[in-house]
Amino acid sequence: MSKITVPIGPQHPLLKEPLSFLVSLEGEKVTDSVLRLGYVHRGIEKLAEQRTYIQNIYLIERICGICSHIHSTTYCQSVEALLKLEVPKRGLYIRMLLCELERIHSHLLWLGVLAKNIGLNTLFMYAWRDREIVLNIMEEISGGRVSHSVNIIGGVQVNLNESHLSLLQQNLKELNKRVKEILRSIENDRSFQARTQKIGHLSLEDIKRYCVVGPVARASGLDIDIRRDAPYAAYDELNFEVPLMTEGDVWARSILRILETL
């Protein structure tokens, strides 16, 4: 069977940043892929040099629209460490709450994008429908669905009241029920399984060799979670389970993110 090399990119519609791939095919089987990174440099560091520490909070928050809060959290923690500032415990808990809400909406967004690109539009619509619950909570707390502007150097500039707590409990209970329904549907969906199981496999050895972290590492059996192993904000005061899977394929990474959401 003849071998064909197909160039994809550097503008690729699936990705947030343009990359370039050279994909080698034998029939319909992908036998090799060469990746080129680095087509976009937005100059964040250079822009930060021209601004004050306070102005940079809002610049750093715009590195990514999916995870804007964790970027500003990381930045503020760095500046606070330089200044030896102690953040009030309530501020740390509010930071952590927003980090967890952001993590949930990121996982649901990821699941929806995966479903859309393997041709399962119903799952895509369910995942993004349920993600709206989280975005509505974050908007109620911060006033923003994407950029929240919660963090300041030394703490946060929003507070939680009883109505916020009631909204959280009520909506997260509903979200929990819906995510369990998604999990049940995926576990019984032969189309989803056929398009994710034994696809994109990463062994535990590869995970360690390439220093992979996060859900991708945990889906290959590496028991690692920065919230537990190098806690920030108020994570050192929490006890929580870290889900693990060993299959190391797209299926495992999908199920693991749902388990983390729960």
Side-chain angles (χ1 to χ4, degrees):
M1 187 178 294
S2 61
K3 183 177 179 180
I4 301 173
T5 301
V6 180
I8 302 177
Q11 304 297 332
H12 193 273
L14 175 61
L15 303 168
K16 302 299 179 188
E17 303 285 2
L19 309 174
S20 174
F21 296 89
L22 283 177
V23 179
S24 299
L25 303 172
E26 290 182 5
E28 293 187 353
K29 184 177 181 181
V30 177
T31 58
D32 191 23
S33 178
V34 178
L35 169 65
R36 280 192 64 192
L37 297 166
Y39 279 94
V40 170
H41 177 61
R42 291 179 292 176
I44 295 289
E45 295 92 341
K46 195 65 182 176
L47 289 169
E49 291 177 5
Q50 304 164 21
R51 287 162 171 77
T52 67
Y53 282 110
I54 294 173
Q55 290 172 331
N56 278 334
I57 299 172
Y58 307 100
L59 170 66
I60 300 301
E61 192 173 45
R62 282 155 179 80
I63 289 175
C64 176
I66 301 170
C67 46
S68 60
H69 177 71
I70 192 62
H71 282 291
S72 66
T73 297
T74 305
Y75 171 77
C76 286
Q77 287 181 165
S78 301
V79 178
E80 287 155 5
L82 289 171
L83 297 175
K84 295 181 172 57
L85 281 179
E86 185 174 346
V87 178
K89 183 168 289 189
R90 187 177 184 88
L92 294 176
Y93 269 95
I94 292 173
R95 272 186 188 174
M96 182 177 66
L97 171 66
L98 268 293
C99 284
E100 286 303 295
L101 290 170
E102 193 169 71
R103 187 184 303 270
I104 291 172
H105 107 71
S106 175
H107 281 358
L108 291 173
L109 181 145
W110 183 96
L111 182 64
V113 171
L114 171 68
K116 179 71 174 175
N117 285 282
I118 60 176
L120 301 175
N121 285 340
T122 301
L123 177 58
F124 159 68
M125 289 187 283
Y126 281 153
W128 278 42
R129 175 202 66 182
D130 298 342
R131 174 174 162 261
E132 286 295 308
I133 295 175
V134 189
L135 292 178
N136 288 338
I137 294 172
M138 298 178 85
E139 183 178 19
E140 188 67 28
I141 292 173
S142 70
R145 285 166 53 88
V146 178
S147 295
H148 309 290
S149 300
V150 166
N151 284 315
I152 56 174
I153 296 168
V156 295
Q157 58 183 349
V158 301
N159 201 358
L160 299 183
N161 54 39
E162 290 298 326
S163 65
H164 288 136
L165 298 178
S166 175
L167 178 78
L168 274 164
Q169 292 173 337
Q170 179 181 346
N171 282 272
L172 291 178
K173 185 177 180 181
E174 174 64 22
L175 180 66
N176 186 275
K177 183 176 73 173
R178 292 190 185 184
V179 172
K180 286 180 178 177
E181 290 173 358
I182 290 177
L183 179 59
R184 282 195 296 270
S185 68
I186 286 178
E187 289 177 330
N188 295 290
D189 190 322
R190 288 180 294 176
S191 294
F192 188 88
Q193 294 171 20
R195 297 169 194 182
T196 58
Q197 289 181 342
K198 299 181 181 179
I199 303 296
H201 180 262
L202 271 173
S203 67
L204 182 57
E205 291 72 26
D206 286 338
I207 292 291
K208 293 177 179 178
R209 182 182 303 120
Y210 296 116
C211 301
V212 179
V213 296
V216 178
R218 292 189 284 275
S220 294
L222 185 62
D223 188 5
I224 183 174
D225 192 315
I226 190 173
R227 297 169 296 171
R228 179 198 63 195
D229 303 331
Y232 56 94
Y235 282 112
D236 58 342
E237 300 192 12
L238 295 188
N239 291 313
F240 55 93
E241 293 182 14
V242 177
L244 286 178
M245 298 189 72
T246 57
E247 291 87 343
D249 53 9
V250 177
W251 162 262
R253 295 194 277 274
S254 305
I255 298 297
L256 185 113
R257 280 181 168 90
I258 297 174
L259 295 176
E260 287 194 1
T261 299
L262 292 172

